[in-house]
Amino acid sequence: QTDTSATGAAATSTTLDHYEEGTWTPVVCDIAGNVATCSTADGSFTRIGNRVFIGFNIQLSSIGSMTGSYVLITGLPFNHLATADNGTGTIDYFTNFDTSYSGLTLDTSSTASFLWLTGTPVGGGAAQVYVPVSAISGNERIKGGAQYHI
């Protein structure tokens, strides 16, 4: 592979140094580590060099003792960098939330071992918020994916 000739771009490496595919088990929890029960928790990943691509399908059956202001997804196959520009995630299908959201995404900007569930409430303006535990009751389905640097 040769270096890029794109204007303003610079290549630091042109050799593929790691490739891996596999599965992982997504876990839904709160910031204190209280875990929800899932009837389905399937995940797959592909790692290419220092980039990881994940996909997942989660069906909750109980939120257990979860409380607080944050719903998190953990159990990642690789921890991500805890920087603002390390990646992004999206939810392409979700149902049964107790709060109505026009869209859900995943924040990968901090805390390397998990992803923060964020959303835009319906009727709440355009501001994106962290999804609180009060927005779920234990029968939600969340399907999506993310890509991030490790």
Side-chain angles (χ1 to χ4, degrees), residues 6-149:
T7 304
T12 57
S13 177
T14 56
T15 304
L16 181 63
D17 63 357
H18 188 112
Y19 182 87
E20 186 176 350
E21 294 180 356
T23 61
W24 65 289
T25 303
V27 176
V28 176
C29 66
D30 63 17
I31 195 74
N34 298 308
V35 175
T37 302
C38 299
S39 58
T40 302
D42 299 322
S44 61
F45 74 88
T46 300
R47 176 181 171 185
I48 304 171
N50 67 353
R51 187 59 104 186
V52 176
F53 302 87
I54 62 170
F56 59 86
N57 181 34
I58 301 167
Q59 176 68 55
L60 297 178
S61 57
S62 167
I63 64 167
S65 59
M66 288 177 61
T67 61
S69 300
Y70 308 103
V71 175
L72 311 170
I73 296 177
T74 189
L76 301 173
F78 303 94
N79 285 349
H80 59 78
L81 296 178
T83 59
D85 60 351
N86 73 38
T88 189
T90 188
I91 305 299
D92 62 353
Y93 183 82
F94 60 95
T95 60
N96 299 327
F97 278 70
D98 293 354
T99 300
S100 293
Y101 293 96
S102 60
L104 295 175
T105 59
L106 297 166
D107 179 0
T108 65
S109 65
S110 65
T111 317
S113 61
F114 54 78
L115 307 172
W116 305 75
L117 186 61
T118 62
T120 304
V122 170
Q128 194 171 22
V129 299
Y130 290 100
V131 173
V133 174
S134 62
I136 62 174
S137 58
N139 63 342
E140 293 74 18
R141 179 169 176 218
I142 308 167
K143 183 176 111 20
Q147 53 84 22
Y148 56 86
H149 278 104

